[in-house]
mmCIF file of all heavy atoms in Angstrom:
data_model
loop_
_atom_site.group_PDB
_atom_site.id
_atom_site.type_symbol
_atom_site.label_atom_id
_atom_site.label_comp_id
_atom_site.label_asym_id
_atom_site.label_seq_id
_atom_site.Cartn_x
_atom_site.Cartn_y
_atom_site.Cartn_z
ATOM 1 N N GLU A 1 104.700 1.763 137.984
ATOM 2 C CA GLU A 1 103.932 2.171 136.835
ATOM 3 C C GLU A 1 102.788 1.234 136.530
ATOM 4 O O GLU A 1 102.825 0.072 137.045
ATOM 5 C CB GLU A 1 104.875 2.189 135.509
ATOM 6 C CG GLU A 1 105.491 0.858 135.243
ATOM 7 C CD GLU A 1 106.379 0.880 134.028
ATOM 8 O OE1 GLU A 1 107.401 1.576 134.110
ATOM 9 O OE2 GLU A 1 106.084 0.180 133.042
ATOM 10 N N GLY A 2 101.739 1.703 135.818
ATOM 11 C CA GLY A 2 100.626 0.845 135.479
ATOM 12 C C GLY A 2 99.662 0.735 136.615
ATOM 13 O O GLY A 2 99.704 1.415 137.664
ATOM 14 N N ASN A 3 98.712 -0.253 136.484
ATOM 15 C CA ASN A 3 97.764 -0.473 137.577
ATOM 16 C C ASN A 3 98.238 -1.483 138.564
ATOM 17 O O ASN A 3 99.242 -2.115 138.364
ATOM 18 C CB ASN A 3 96.383 -0.864 136.922
ATOM 19 C CG ASN A 3 96.392 -2.132 136.206
ATOM 20 O OD1 ASN A 3 96.955 -3.184 136.792
ATOM 21 N ND2 ASN A 3 95.853 -2.183 135.029
ATOM 22 N N ILE A 4 97.469 -1.627 139.605
ATOM 23 C CA ILE A 4 97.914 -2.436 140.793
ATOM 24 C C ILE A 4 98.156 -3.869 140.440
ATOM 25 O O ILE A 4 99.175 -4.459 140.953
ATOM 26 C CB ILE A 4 96.821 -2.317 141.925
ATOM 27 C CG1 ILE A 4 96.930 -0.875 142.565
ATOM 28 C CG2 ILE A 4 97.027 -3.465 142.972
ATOM 29 C CD1 ILE A 4 96.031 -0.650 143.739
ATOM 30 N N VAL A 5 97.369 -4.505 139.541
ATOM 31 C CA VAL A 5 97.594 -5.933 139.255
ATOM 32 C C VAL A 5 98.478 -6.152 138.056
ATOM 33 O O VAL A 5 99.315 -6.980 138.145
ATOM 34 C CB VAL A 5 96.206 -6.546 138.966
ATOM 35 C CG1 VAL A 5 96.357 -7.985 138.520
ATOM 36 C CG2 VAL A 5 95.327 -6.510 140.236
ATOM 37 N N GLU A 6 98.384 -5.351 137.047
ATOM 38 C CA GLU A 6 99.168 -5.586 135.847
ATOM 39 C C GLU A 6 100.321 -4.701 135.801
ATOM 40 O O GLU A 6 101.186 -4.901 134.841
ATOM 41 C CB GLU A 6 98.239 -5.393 134.624
ATOM 42 C CG GLU A 6 97.070 -6.408 134.588
ATOM 43 C CD GLU A 6 96.115 -6.138 133.376
ATOM 44 O OE1 GLU A 6 96.201 -4.941 132.876
ATOM 45 O OE2 GLU A 6 95.402 -6.921 133.003
ATOM 46 N N GLY A 7 100.495 -3.755 136.640
ATOM 47 C CA GLY A 7 101.646 -2.825 136.530
ATOM 48 C C GLY A 7 102.954 -3.467 137.171
ATOM 49 O O GLY A 7 102.970 -4.580 137.496
ATOM 50 N N ILE A 8 103.891 -2.585 137.272
ATOM 51 C CA ILE A 8 105.232 -2.993 137.829
ATOM 52 C C ILE A 8 105.414 -2.380 139.187
ATOM 53 O O ILE A 8 105.359 -1.145 139.393
ATOM 54 C CB ILE A 8 106.417 -2.510 136.896
ATOM 55 C CG1 ILE A 8 106.204 -3.072 135.572
ATOM 56 C CG2 ILE A 8 107.726 -2.890 137.500
ATOM 57 C CD1 ILE A 8 106.232 -4.657 135.521
ATOM 58 N N TRP A 9 105.585 -3.224 140.189
ATOM 59 C CA TRP A 9 106.012 -2.781 141.495
ATOM 60 C C TRP A 9 107.535 -2.931 141.706
ATOM 61 O O TRP A 9 108.148 -3.819 141.042
ATOM 62 C CB TRP A 9 105.330 -3.717 142.591
ATOM 63 C CG TRP A 9 103.875 -3.629 142.611
ATOM 64 C CD1 TRP A 9 102.928 -4.167 141.753
ATOM 65 C CD2 TRP A 9 103.067 -3.003 143.617
ATOM 66 N NE1 TRP A 9 101.649 -3.901 142.113
ATOM 67 C CE2 TRP A 9 101.692 -3.143 143.339
ATOM 68 C CE3 TRP A 9 103.356 -2.241 144.781
ATOM 69 C CZ2 TRP A 9 100.709 -2.599 144.078
ATOM 70 C CZ3 TRP A 9 102.387 -1.718 145.577
ATOM 71 C CH2 TRP A 9 101.089 -1.907 145.215
ATOM 72 N N TYR A 10 108.060 -2.151 142.552
ATOM 73 C CA TYR A 10 109.517 -2.267 142.797
ATOM 74 C C TYR A 10 109.779 -3.701 143.391
ATOM 75 O O TYR A 10 110.874 -4.292 143.063
ATOM 76 C CB TYR A 10 110.046 -1.255 143.827
ATOM 77 C CG TYR A 10 111.493 -1.225 143.998
ATOM 78 C CD1 TYR A 10 112.301 -0.505 143.160
ATOM 79 C CD2 TYR A 10 112.121 -1.977 144.995
ATOM 80 C CE1 TYR A 10 113.696 -0.459 143.293
ATOM 81 C CE2 TYR A 10 113.499 -2.004 145.191
ATOM 82 C CZ TYR A 10 114.267 -1.325 144.264
ATOM 83 O OH TYR A 10 115.654 -1.274 144.475
ATOM 84 N N GLN A 11 108.877 -4.206 144.132
ATOM 85 C CA GLN A 11 109.063 -5.593 144.651
ATOM 86 C C GLN A 11 109.298 -6.602 143.553
ATOM 87 O O GLN A 11 110.053 -7.608 143.790
ATOM 88 C CB GLN A 11 107.834 -5.947 145.531
ATOM 89 C CG GLN A 11 108.014 -7.280 146.268
ATOM 90 C CD GLN A 11 106.925 -7.503 147.254
ATOM 91 O OE1 GLN A 11 106.605 -8.707 147.676
ATOM 92 N NE2 GLN A 11 106.206 -6.525 147.744
ATOM 93 N N LYS A 12 108.674 -6.413 142.383
ATOM 94 C CA LYS A 12 108.895 -7.316 141.261
ATOM 95 C C LYS A 12 110.181 -6.876 140.521
ATOM 96 O O LYS A 12 110.896 -7.787 140.007
ATOM 97 C CB LYS A 12 107.717 -7.269 140.365
ATOM 98 C CG LYS A 12 107.804 -8.235 139.152
ATOM 99 C CD LYS A 12 106.557 -8.185 138.340
ATOM 100 C CE LYS A 12 106.630 -9.229 137.130
ATOM 101 N NZ LYS A 12 105.381 -9.232 136.341
ATOM 102 N N GLN A 13 110.358 -5.632 140.423
ATOM 103 C CA GLN A 13 111.441 -5.127 139.601
ATOM 104 C C GLN A 13 112.865 -5.540 140.109
ATOM 105 O O GLN A 13 113.807 -5.784 139.399
ATOM 106 C CB GLN A 13 111.409 -3.624 139.472
ATOM 107 C CG GLN A 13 112.487 -2.943 138.589
ATOM 108 C CD GLN A 13 112.256 -1.465 138.398
ATOM 109 O OE1 GLN A 13 111.427 -1.083 137.599
ATOM 110 N NE2 GLN A 13 112.998 -0.672 139.124
ATOM 111 N N PHE A 14 112.902 -5.631 141.486
ATOM 112 C CA PHE A 14 114.211 -5.967 141.993
ATOM 113 C C PHE A 14 114.617 -7.444 141.998
ATOM 114 O O PHE A 14 115.682 -7.853 142.319
ATOM 115 C CB PHE A 14 114.382 -5.370 143.472
ATOM 116 C CG PHE A 14 114.253 -6.384 144.605
ATOM 117 C CD1 PHE A 14 115.305 -6.623 145.445
ATOM 118 C CD2 PHE A 14 113.074 -6.965 144.871
ATOM 119 C CE1 PHE A 14 115.244 -7.449 146.554
ATOM 120 C CE2 PHE A 14 112.924 -7.870 145.962
ATOM 121 C CZ PHE A 14 114.004 -8.117 146.779
ATOM 122 N N GLN A 15 113.680 -8.237 141.478
ATOM 123 C CA GLN A 15 113.893 -9.679 141.369
ATOM 124 C C GLN A 15 114.778 -10.034 140.220
ATOM 125 O O GLN A 15 114.706 -9.408 139.119
ATOM 126 C CB GLN A 15 112.582 -10.457 141.315
ATOM 127 C CG GLN A 15 111.621 -10.278 142.446
ATOM 128 C CD GLN A 15 110.323 -10.926 142.267
ATOM 129 O OE1 GLN A 15 110.139 -11.692 141.328
ATOM 130 N NE2 GLN A 15 109.323 -10.587 143.068
ATOM 131 N N ASN A 16 115.691 -10.994 140.394
ATOM 132 C CA ASN A 16 116.483 -11.577 139.248
ATOM 133 C C ASN A 16 116.069 -12.998 139.090
ATOM 134 O O ASN A 16 115.894 -13.752 140.041
ATOM 135 C CB ASN A 16 117.998 -11.412 139.577
ATOM 136 C CG ASN A 16 118.476 -9.962 139.635
ATOM 137 O OD1 ASN A 16 118.107 -9.199 138.735
ATOM 138 N ND2 ASN A 16 119.231 -9.614 140.573
ATOM 139 N N TRP A 17 116.037 -13.383 137.810
ATOM 140 C CA TRP A 17 115.659 -14.734 137.543
ATOM 141 C C TRP A 17 116.818 -15.462 136.689
ATOM 142 O O TRP A 17 116.556 -16.355 135.985
ATOM 143 C CB TRP A 17 114.369 -14.814 136.722
ATOM 144 C CG TRP A 17 113.263 -14.397 137.670
ATOM 145 C CD1 TRP A 17 112.793 -13.117 137.789
ATOM 146 C CD2 TRP A 17 112.487 -15.184 138.591
ATOM 147 N NE1 TRP A 17 111.743 -13.066 138.684
ATOM 148 C CE2 TRP A 17 111.553 -14.367 139.193
ATOM 149 C CE3 TRP A 17 112.578 -16.524 138.904
ATOM 150 C CZ2 TRP A 17 110.675 -14.825 140.140
ATOM 151 C CZ3 TRP A 17 111.705 -17.025 139.849
ATOM 152 C CH2 TRP A 17 110.778 -16.139 140.492
ATOM 153 N N ASP A 18 118.092 -14.934 136.895
ATOM 154 C CA ASP A 18 119.193 -15.534 136.178
ATOM 155 C C ASP A 18 120.131 -16.298 137.131
ATOM 156 O O ASP A 18 121.206 -16.624 136.753
ATOM 157 C CB ASP A 18 119.928 -14.468 135.456
ATOM 158 C CG ASP A 18 120.511 -13.386 136.360
ATOM 159 O OD1 ASP A 18 120.287 -13.464 137.619
ATOM 160 O OD2 ASP A 18 121.150 -12.445 135.866
ATOM 161 N N GLY A 19 119.645 -16.553 138.385
ATOM 162 C CA GLY A 19 120.452 -17.244 139.307
ATOM 163 C C GLY A 19 121.248 -16.324 140.158
ATOM 164 O O GLY A 19 121.888 -16.773 141.199
ATOM 165 N N SER A 20 121.303 -15.044 139.905
ATOM 166 C CA SER A 20 122.051 -14.097 140.728
ATOM 167 C C SER A 20 121.122 -13.597 141.793
ATOM 168 O O SER A 20 119.918 -13.618 141.820
ATOM 169 C CB SER A 20 122.554 -12.944 139.877
ATOM 170 O OG SER A 20 121.463 -12.219 139.311
ATOM 171 N N PRO A 21 121.764 -13.094 142.981
ATOM 172 C CA PRO A 21 120.910 -12.659 144.065
ATOM 173 C C PRO A 21 120.143 -11.390 143.792
ATOM 174 O O PRO A 21 120.531 -10.660 142.869
ATOM 175 C CB PRO A 21 121.822 -12.461 145.215
ATOM 176 C CG PRO A 21 123.143 -12.139 144.535
ATOM 177 C CD PRO A 21 123.149 -13.004 143.240
ATOM 178 N N ASP A 22 119.057 -11.205 144.488
ATOM 179 C CA ASP A 22 118.290 -9.907 144.374
ATOM 180 C C ASP A 22 118.967 -8.888 145.292
ATOM 181 O O ASP A 22 119.101 -9.125 146.466
ATOM 182 C CB ASP A 22 116.807 -10.145 144.731
ATOM 183 C CG ASP A 22 116.185 -11.244 143.896
ATOM 184 O OD1 ASP A 22 116.615 -11.375 142.723
ATOM 185 O OD2 ASP A 22 115.255 -11.923 144.435
ATOM 186 N N LEU A 23 119.231 -7.722 144.741
ATOM 187 C CA LEU A 23 119.993 -6.665 145.485
ATOM 188 C C LEU A 23 119.097 -5.518 145.693
ATOM 189 O O LEU A 23 118.503 -4.960 144.738
ATOM 190 C CB LEU A 23 121.264 -6.248 144.695
ATOM 191 C CG LEU A 23 122.227 -7.498 144.320
ATOM 192 C CD1 LEU A 23 123.402 -6.996 143.555
ATOM 193 C CD2 LEU A 23 122.641 -8.182 145.587
ATOM 194 N N TRP A 24 119.141 -4.925 146.901
ATOM 195 C CA TRP A 24 118.353 -3.825 147.299
ATOM 196 C C TRP A 24 119.203 -2.720 147.878
ATOM 197 O O TRP A 24 119.522 -2.732 149.071
ATOM 198 C CB TRP A 24 117.319 -4.323 148.312
ATOM 199 C CG TRP A 24 116.291 -3.340 148.850
ATOM 200 C CD1 TRP A 24 116.207 -2.024 148.574
ATOM 201 C CD2 TRP A 24 115.279 -3.689 149.797
ATOM 202 N NE1 TRP A 24 115.159 -1.470 149.303
ATOM 203 C CE2 TRP A 24 114.571 -2.406 150.025
ATOM 204 C CE3 TRP A 24 114.878 -4.860 150.419
ATOM 205 C CZ2 TRP A 24 113.504 -2.385 150.934
ATOM 206 C CZ3 TRP A 24 113.850 -4.794 151.327
ATOM 207 C CH2 TRP A 24 113.143 -3.549 151.574
ATOM 208 N N PRO A 25 119.728 -1.770 147.079
ATOM 209 C CA PRO A 25 120.648 -0.754 147.534
ATOM 210 C C PRO A 25 119.905 0.446 148.079
ATOM 211 O O PRO A 25 118.878 0.879 147.525
ATOM 212 C CB PRO A 25 121.422 -0.386 146.312
ATOM 213 C CG PRO A 25 120.405 -0.581 145.168
ATOM 214 C CD PRO A 25 119.558 -1.780 145.583
ATOM 215 N N VAL A 26 120.367 0.956 149.166
ATOM 216 C CA VAL A 26 119.815 2.166 149.860
ATOM 217 C C VAL A 26 120.935 3.032 150.376
ATOM 218 O O VAL A 26 121.911 2.486 150.835
ATOM 219 C CB VAL A 26 118.858 1.704 151.018
ATOM 220 C CG1 VAL A 26 118.431 2.990 151.763
ATOM 221 C CG2 VAL A 26 117.682 0.970 150.455
ATOM 222 N N ARG A 27 120.736 4.351 150.232
ATOM 223 C CA ARG A 27 121.852 5.275 150.669
ATOM 224 C C ARG A 27 121.526 5.744 152.128
ATOM 225 O O ARG A 27 120.405 6.148 152.390
ATOM 226 C CB ARG A 27 121.930 6.403 149.760
ATOM 227 C CG ARG A 27 123.036 7.437 150.014
ATOM 228 C CD ARG A 27 123.428 8.168 148.817
ATOM 229 N NE ARG A 27 124.014 7.292 147.850
ATOM 230 C CZ ARG A 27 123.963 7.509 146.484
ATOM 231 N NH1 ARG A 27 123.410 8.609 146.054
ATOM 232 N NH2 ARG A 27 124.502 6.652 145.633
ATOM 233 N N ILE A 28 122.483 5.708 152.972
ATOM 234 C CA ILE A 28 122.398 6.277 154.315
ATOM 235 C C ILE A 28 122.413 7.801 154.242
ATOM 236 O O ILE A 28 123.247 8.346 153.485
ATOM 237 C CB ILE A 28 123.493 5.843 155.253
ATOM 238 C CG1 ILE A 28 123.505 4.294 155.363
ATOM 239 C CG2 ILE A 28 123.406 6.481 156.639
ATOM 240 C CD1 ILE A 28 122.284 3.650 155.979
ATOM 241 N N PRO A 29 121.485 8.486 154.789
ATOM 242 C CA PRO A 29 121.413 9.941 154.621
ATOM 243 C C PRO A 29 122.725 10.607 154.939
ATOM 244 O O PRO A 29 123.354 10.360 156.032
ATOM 245 C CB PRO A 29 120.312 10.395 155.571
ATOM 246 C CG PRO A 29 119.414 9.194 155.690
ATOM 247 C CD PRO A 29 120.303 8.036 155.616
ATOM 248 N N ALA A 30 123.201 11.463 154.096
ATOM 249 C CA ALA A 30 124.530 12.085 154.273
ATOM 250 C C ALA A 30 124.535 13.041 155.444
ATOM 251 O O ALA A 30 125.604 13.302 156.011
ATOM 252 C CB ALA A 30 124.978 12.792 153.007
ATOM 253 N N THR A 31 123.402 13.544 155.802
ATOM 254 C CA THR A 31 123.382 14.569 156.894
ATOM 255 C C THR A 31 123.095 14.039 158.261
ATOM 256 O O THR A 31 123.118 14.776 159.256
ATOM 257 C CB THR A 31 122.248 15.553 156.561
ATOM 258 O OG1 THR A 31 121.001 14.901 156.433
ATOM 259 C CG2 THR A 31 122.482 16.319 155.261
ATOM 260 N N ILE A 32 122.917 12.724 158.405
ATOM 261 C CA ILE A 32 122.511 12.154 159.681
ATOM 262 C C ILE A 32 123.647 12.278 160.675
ATOM 263 O O ILE A 32 124.821 12.246 160.428
ATOM 264 C CB ILE A 32 122.128 10.635 159.439
ATOM 265 C CG1 ILE A 32 121.301 10.132 160.658
ATOM 266 C CG2 ILE A 32 123.374 9.800 159.233
ATOM 267 C CD1 ILE A 32 120.676 8.774 160.388
ATOM 268 N N LYS A 33 123.247 12.376 161.948
ATOM 269 C CA LYS A 33 124.253 12.467 163.041
ATOM 270 C C LYS A 33 124.857 11.046 163.216
ATOM 271 O O LYS A 33 124.221 10.032 162.984
ATOM 272 C CB LYS A 33 123.619 12.945 164.311
ATOM 273 C CG LYS A 33 122.833 11.945 165.148
ATOM 274 C CD LYS A 33 122.368 12.557 166.467
ATOM 275 C CE LYS A 33 121.617 11.527 167.260
ATOM 276 N NZ LYS A 33 122.483 10.479 167.843
ATOM 277 N N PRO A 34 126.088 11.017 163.655
ATOM 278 C CA PRO A 34 126.755 9.631 163.877
ATOM 279 C C PRO A 34 126.081 8.899 165.043
ATOM 280 O O PRO A 34 125.453 9.507 165.937
ATOM 281 C CB PRO A 34 128.188 9.995 164.162
ATOM 282 C CG PRO A 34 128.085 11.413 164.702
ATOM 283 C CD PRO A 34 126.972 12.155 164.000
ATOM 284 N N GLY A 35 126.319 7.657 165.052
ATOM 285 C CA GLY A 35 125.849 6.809 166.179
ATOM 286 C C GLY A 35 125.541 5.431 165.788
ATOM 287 O O GLY A 35 125.802 4.948 164.704
ATOM 288 N N LEU A 36 124.947 4.706 166.729
ATOM 289 C CA LEU A 36 124.558 3.313 166.619
ATOM 290 C C LEU A 36 123.103 3.245 166.203
ATOM 291 O O LEU A 36 122.226 3.818 166.952
ATOM 292 C CB LEU A 36 124.878 2.486 167.901
ATOM 293 C CG LEU A 36 126.297 2.628 168.491
ATOM 294 C CD1 LEU A 36 126.410 1.868 169.779
ATOM 295 C CD2 LEU A 36 127.299 2.103 167.403
ATOM 296 N N TYR A 37 122.831 2.507 165.165
ATOM 297 C CA TYR A 37 121.480 2.438 164.595
ATOM 298 C C TYR A 37 121.069 1.069 164.288
ATOM 299 O O TYR A 37 121.896 0.146 163.987
ATOM 300 C CB TYR A 37 121.359 3.313 163.330
ATOM 301 C CG TYR A 37 121.493 4.778 163.510
ATOM 302 C CD1 TYR A 37 122.718 5.443 163.607
ATOM 303 C CD2 TYR A 37 120.373 5.617 163.467
ATOM 304 C CE1 TYR A 37 122.822 6.796 163.728
ATOM 305 C CE2 TYR A 37 120.438 6.971 163.669
ATOM 306 C CZ TYR A 37 121.647 7.589 163.748
ATOM 307 O OH TYR A 37 121.795 8.926 163.883
ATOM 308 N N VAL A 38 119.772 0.804 164.396
ATOM 309 C CA VAL A 38 119.146 -0.415 163.788
ATOM 310 C C VAL A 38 118.647 0.010 162.405
ATOM 311 O O VAL A 38 118.020 0.969 162.225
ATOM 312 C CB VAL A 38 117.965 -0.913 164.668
ATOM 313 C CG1 VAL A 38 117.289 -2.021 163.931
ATOM 314 C CG2 VAL A 38 118.491 -1.450 165.951
ATOM 315 N N ILE A 39 119.059 -0.790 161.435
ATOM 316 C CA ILE A 39 118.433 -0.643 160.116
ATOM 317 C C ILE A 39 117.466 -1.737 159.852
ATOM 318 O O ILE A 39 117.669 -2.894 160.177
ATOM 319 C CB ILE A 39 119.545 -0.630 158.977
ATOM 320 C CG1 ILE A 39 118.864 -0.321 157.622
ATOM 321 C CG2 ILE A 39 120.356 -1.987 158.897
ATOM 322 C CD1 ILE A 39 119.878 -0.007 156.513
ATOM 323 N N ARG A 40 116.286 -1.356 159.405
ATOM 324 C CA ARG A 40 115.148 -2.289 159.277
ATOM 325 C C ARG A 40 114.641 -2.301 157.805
ATOM 326 O O ARG A 40 114.256 -1.254 157.331
ATOM 327 C CB ARG A 40 113.959 -1.858 160.234
ATOM 328 C CG ARG A 40 112.718 -2.646 160.082
ATOM 329 C CD ARG A 40 111.656 -2.118 161.020
ATOM 330 N NE ARG A 40 110.425 -2.848 160.975
ATOM 331 C CZ ARG A 40 109.425 -2.615 160.085
ATOM 332 N NH1 ARG A 40 109.479 -1.572 159.292
ATOM 333 N NH2 ARG A 40 108.319 -3.350 160.066
ATOM 334 N N HIS A 41 114.708 -3.401 157.193
ATOM 335 C CA HIS A 41 114.169 -3.597 155.850
ATOM 336 C C HIS A 41 112.839 -4.281 155.974
ATOM 337 O O HIS A 41 112.675 -5.345 156.667
ATOM 338 C CB HIS A 41 115.080 -4.465 154.999
ATOM 339 C CG HIS A 41 116.322 -3.776 154.565
ATOM 340 N ND1 HIS A 41 117.448 -3.545 155.418
ATOM 341 C CD2 HIS A 41 116.702 -3.198 153.386
ATOM 342 C CE1 HIS A 41 118.377 -2.895 154.783
ATOM 343 N NE2 HIS A 41 117.989 -2.738 153.602
ATOM 344 N N GLU A 42 111.856 -3.762 155.282
ATOM 345 C CA GLU A 42 110.466 -4.337 155.324
ATOM 346 C C GLU A 42 109.955 -4.529 153.933
ATOM 347 O O GLU A 42 109.950 -3.577 153.124
ATOM 348 C CB GLU A 42 109.542 -3.445 156.127
ATOM 349 C CG GLU A 42 108.128 -3.962 156.143
ATOM 350 C CD GLU A 42 107.130 -2.927 156.663
ATOM 351 O OE1 GLU A 42 107.171 -2.708 157.912
ATOM 352 O OE2 GLU A 42 106.375 -2.328 155.884
ATOM 353 N N ILE A 43 109.488 -5.720 153.650
ATOM 354 C CA ILE A 43 108.665 -6.018 152.464
ATOM 355 C C ILE A 43 107.250 -6.364 152.868
ATOM 356 O O ILE A 43 107.084 -7.254 153.779
ATOM 357 C CB ILE A 43 109.282 -7.196 151.656
ATOM 358 C CG1 ILE A 43 110.697 -6.844 151.209
ATOM 359 C CG2 ILE A 43 108.377 -7.473 150.458
ATOM 360 C CD1 ILE A 43 111.372 -7.950 150.344
ATOM 361 N N LEU A 44 106.319 -5.660 152.411
ATOM 362 C CA LEU A 44 104.871 -5.931 152.575
ATOM 363 C C LEU A 44 104.296 -6.588 151.337
ATOM 364 O O LEU A 44 104.217 -5.866 150.315
ATOM 365 C CB LEU A 44 104.111 -4.688 153.018
ATOM 366 C CG LEU A 44 102.603 -4.765 153.102
ATOM 367 C CD1 LEU A 44 102.124 -5.916 153.975
ATOM 368 C CD2 LEU A 44 102.024 -3.415 153.504
#
């Protein structure tokens, strides 16, 4: 929401400043075929 500089990015929203860790939950697609996968998290 908002503009690029003064608005809110998810990268800022997921941060905690109370001493608890920052948590980034993601759901594995329910329809995906089974198998061995690499999961890659990227922050730019």
Side-chain angles (χ1 to χ4, degrees):
E1 61 180 64
N3 64 49
I4 285 182
V5 174
E6 297 174 342
I8 301 298
W9 294 77
Y10 187 86
Q11 188 172 154
K12 181 177 182 179
Q13 182 173 283
F14 104 114
Q15 299 174 16
N16 292 316
W17 292 94
D18 59 1
S20 62
D22 302 330
L23 305 178
W24 181 359
V26 173
R27 183 158 297 155
I28 300 299
T31 58
I32 197 170
K33 80 175 183 69
L36 305 178
Y37 290 81
V38 171
I39 186 169
R40 175 182 181 271
H41 288 76
E42 176 190 288
I43 299 179
L44 168 56

